[in-house]
Amino acid sequence: MNDIPPSTPVELLTFRLSDQEYSLDIMCVREIRGWTRTTPLPHAPSYMKGVINLRGTVLPVMDLAERLGLPPREHTDRNVIIVVKFEETMTGLLVDAVSDIIALTSNDLQPPPDSASTGGGGIIKALTLLDDRMIRVLELSEIVPAPQSDAA
């Protein structure tokens, strides 16, 4: 969190995966959709559930719990797809449920302990306590694959 000036306002979209609560910077979120059956693609990583038609655009959908290494669970109609944009890439993140939008300052965010970040590739950007809830702030750049360059 060294790159964010102190007391900078931050808005986060919180959501649930299993019994855990995570969040993303609201500025990355384009929309929230109900669960839509995906069309699987061959040879895709197991956490990529397939693609959906988003108003004429093919949108890849990722099971965020599986991407984070959480135990597998069954998908239901209550699941939600959070459509995010990282750089020029739009991706759908399948989560259990959206919880809330919270407004904090950067002073409310704490870096994860070094021992917790090893092996995770920096997926957790920060932690925050809200009432009795421990909310993990995800680093979207570590979750969404970067666009492939056409340059050879």
Side-chain angles (χ1 to χ4, degrees), residues 13-29:
L13 175 70
T14 64
F15 53 91
R16 300 196 68 78
L17 290 172
S18 300
D19 292 332
Q20 303 176 13
E21 197 162 14
Y22 291 86
S23 66
L24 285 170
D25 186 337
I26 195 78
M27 297 306 291
C28 301
V29 176

Side-chain angles (χ1 to χ4, degrees), residues 46-103:
S46 63
Y47 58 83
M48 293 303 293
K49 293 302 165 194
V51 296
I52 62 171
N53 179 355
L54 181 65
R55 295 181 293 278
T57 300
V58 175
L59 180 75
V61 176
M62 172 189 303
D63 184 333
L64 188 55
E66 190 172 339
R67 174 72 176 93
L68 297 178
L70 299 175
R73 71 221 186 287
E74 197 165 309
H75 298 143
T76 69
D77 290 339
R78 299 186 62 176
N79 291 135
V80 175
I81 297 173
I82 301 173
V83 179
V84 297
K85 185 173 184 180
F86 172 68
E87 294 182 353
E88 298 304 316
T89 303
M90 299 275 284
T91 304
L93 303 176
L94 178 62
V95 302
D96 291 350
V98 171
S99 304
D100 204 356
I101 296 174
I102 57 174

Side-chain angles (χ1 to χ4, degrees), residues 23-40:
S23 66
L24 285 170
D25 186 337
I26 195 78
M27 297 306 291
C28 301
V29 176
R30 295 297 174 250
E31 67 179 88
I32 299 167
R33 302 178 51 87
W35 166 245
T36 304
R37 182 175 296 279
T38 59
T39 301

Side-chain angles (χ1 to χ4, degrees), residues 128-149:
T128 188
L129 286 171
L130 189 62
D131 302 322
D132 290 335
R133 300 160 38 201
M134 173 73 75
I135 301 172
R136 302 153 189 92
V137 182
L138 296 175
E139 179 64 64
L140 193 58
S141 65
E142 297 292 328
I143 296 169
V144 175
Q148 298 289 323
S149 173

